[in-house]
Amino acid sequence: MKNKLIATLMLGCTVYAVTAQASYYTEGTVDVVRYDVITDVTYGQGAVMAENENTMMDLTMDVYSPVEMTDEPLPAIILTHGGSFHRGNPRIPYVGIGGQTTTMSQYAMRYAEEGYVVFTIKYRVAPDNPVIDMNEHYSNDLLLDFFQTPEAIHQGNVIRSQMGLELFTEDNVVEIMRNAVVAAAEDLRTALHHVKAENATYNIDPDLIALGGFSAGAVTSINVAYGMQEDVAAVIANSGYPSVFNMDKLIDEESELPPGLFFLAQNDYPVVDMELKPFIKKLSSLNADYSFNWIPSHGHFYPSGVTSLGSDGSQMSVEQRSIEFLNEVLKRK
């Protein structure tokens, strides 16, 4: 089955069975890496505006799988990186305010060792000038004008000035950020539909797929699972919150909501605290299945090894809590 997966995907992709071991270890050293990875697999296309023309941009992902694949379809996870909807890469960590994150690729390696097939996606961001596909989810009453506060504009302009982009103003920020946030959700949805349709190729169970991410990636995972209400088995959100999608109108007691694992840092960005807590209260009012966890003494950027405190009083690392959550939700069937 593993040979079939590699043979099917290697055309047009960069393939690593983590044989890069040879560059780090002498011959004969025991192979301690327990995952394979195939990079730059195309999962779809997204519309962007380039030189005043609407064109299509290839969307790619890396695919991590256990070294010892079986004929039995495996549960899967799609991970989405952060970057304020302006930049980012699943293979690159974020450093800021004295902290550093664990990359989506590093999470993927760990999850693959636990027996999951993991997809780390790249997606359209604001500098790509994404063109969103208008449909029923994007009517004015279902999308909110977000990022309008002076604090949000200032934070965005720190990044835009670093990237040499036109600065946000009260007149342009809503359209730019709305398009970027919705485009990210569209691309994650495209990835989800792709891996479900190609479940046999990836040897995954299409009914056991979780979404996860950090910061903007966590926002996107929440938006797709709860805002677009795509059929997923679970959500992990590291310092994310609903954005642009109006959850008050999109979810109610009739909604089928996936189990969620949410993390909030003690010194997180104010917007995360301000937007996540009301969403948690909303989930609680709907008797949804969720776990809300606190990360003491850290800001927005934290590695997977930091201690998290559960609402039940439990103490364990973000990584350990995430793995236990996934094992319970995706393997309990």
Side-chain angles (χ1 to χ4, degrees):
M1 179 58 70
K2 181 172 68 176
N3 291 338
K4 176 185 176 183
L5 173 63
I6 293 176
T8 303
L9 296 178
M10 68 184 299
L11 184 62
C13 305
T14 304
V15 180
Y16 298 91
V18 193
T19 50
Q21 284 277 304
S23 63
Y24 296 102
Y25 299 99
T26 57
E27 186 175 356
T29 300
V30 175
D31 187 354
V32 296
V33 177
R34 292 176 292 171
Y35 63 87
D36 290 331
V37 57
I38 304 173
T39 63
D40 301 318
V41 176
T42 299
Y43 67 83
Q45 290 187 316
V48 296
M49 188 64 65
E51 299 180 353
N52 296 319
E53 291 188 5
N54 194 331
T55 187
M56 300 304 291
M57 169 182 168
D58 284 341
L59 304 170
T60 63
M61 63 184 181
D62 297 340
V63 184
Y64 295 78
S65 57
V67 168
E68 297 181 1
M69 291 285 280
T70 67
D71 291 332
E72 188 74 20
L74 298 174
I77 310 162
I78 305 177
L79 297 178
T80 307
H81 65 78
S84 298
F85 297 99
H86 274 71
R87 56 190 178 186
N89 187 298
R91 305 171 197 166
I92 299 175
Y94 289 94
V95 179
I97 320 178
Q100 177 172 311
T101 65
T102 297
T103 67
M104 292 300 100
S105 294
Q106 289 168 326
Y107 275 110
M109 297 170 194
R110 185 68 185 88
Y111 294 155
E113 291 177 347
E114 291 291 324
Y116 296 96
V117 176
V118 190
F119 308 92
T120 61
I121 71 167
K122 299 175 186 176
Y123 56 94
R124 290 170 294 166
V125 290
D128 294 322
N129 297 315
V131 179
I132 61 176
D133 180 17
M134 300 301 292
N135 66 27
E136 70 276 8
H137 286 293
Y138 307 157
S139 60
N140 288 333
D141 63 329
L142 297 182
L143 294 182
L144 300 171
D145 290 341
F146 210 70
F147 303 101
Q148 286 181 301
T149 66
E151 294 80 7
I153 291 176
H154 172 73
Q155 182 176 326
N157 280 338
V158 170
I159 296 171
R160 292 181 72 85
S161 63
Q162 293 172 348
M163 300 180 71
L165 301 173
E166 176 189 3
L167 296 184
F168 281 146
T169 67
E170 293 181 354
D171 296 326
N172 67 12
V173 65
V174 170
E175 181 179 5
I176 292 173
M177 288 306 298
R178 176 183 285 194
N179 287 348
V181 171
V182 172
E186 287 181 346
D187 294 349
L188 175 53
R189 180 179 60 185
T190 296
L192 177 64
H193 290 180
H194 167 77
V195 301
K196 283 190 173 188
E198 297 295 330
N199 67 87
T201 299
Y202 298 114
N203 193 36
I204 64 170
D205 186 330
D207 296 323
L208 294 178
I209 301 175
L211 306 182
F214 160 70
S215 194
V219 170
T220 303
S221 298
I222 291 171
N223 284 345
V224 171
Y226 298 98
M228 290 180 165
Q229 296 188 29
E230 288 292 321
D231 184 16
V232 298
V235 176
I236 299 178
N238 293 8
S239 291
Y241 53 91
S243 178
V244 175
F245 288 80
N246 189 343
M247 296 299 176
D248 284 336
K249 293 188 176 182
L250 287 167
I251 63 175
D252 55 31
E253 58 276 357
E254 301 297 324
S255 302
E256 295 186 10
L257 305 177
L261 180 68
F262 302 92
F263 294 97
L264 175 66
Q266 180 177 357
N267 302 311
D268 221 315
Y269 287 148
V271 66
V272 182
D273 185 278
M274 181 175 63
E275 298 296 332
L276 178 57
K277 287 180 178 177
F279 181 61
I280 294 297
K281 289 182 179 179
K282 174 81 172 180
L283 294 179
S284 180
S285 71
L286 297 174
N287 295 315
D289 183 0
Y290 73 90
S291 172
F292 180 59
N293 304 277
W294 179 253
I295 300 175
S297 304
H298 280 77
H300 190 64
F301 303 93
Y302 48 85
S304 62
V306 300
T307 298
S308 66
L309 306 179
S311 56
D312 59 356
S314 61
Q315 299 183 36
M316 63 184 75
S317 70
V318 170
E319 177 185 285
Q320 181 184 358
R321 194 179 296 277
S322 299
I323 289 173
E324 289 194 4
F325 171 77
L326 291 168
N327 288 346
E328 177 186 355
V329 174
L330 298 187
K331 293 185 177 180
R332 63 187 177 192
K333 297 182 179 180

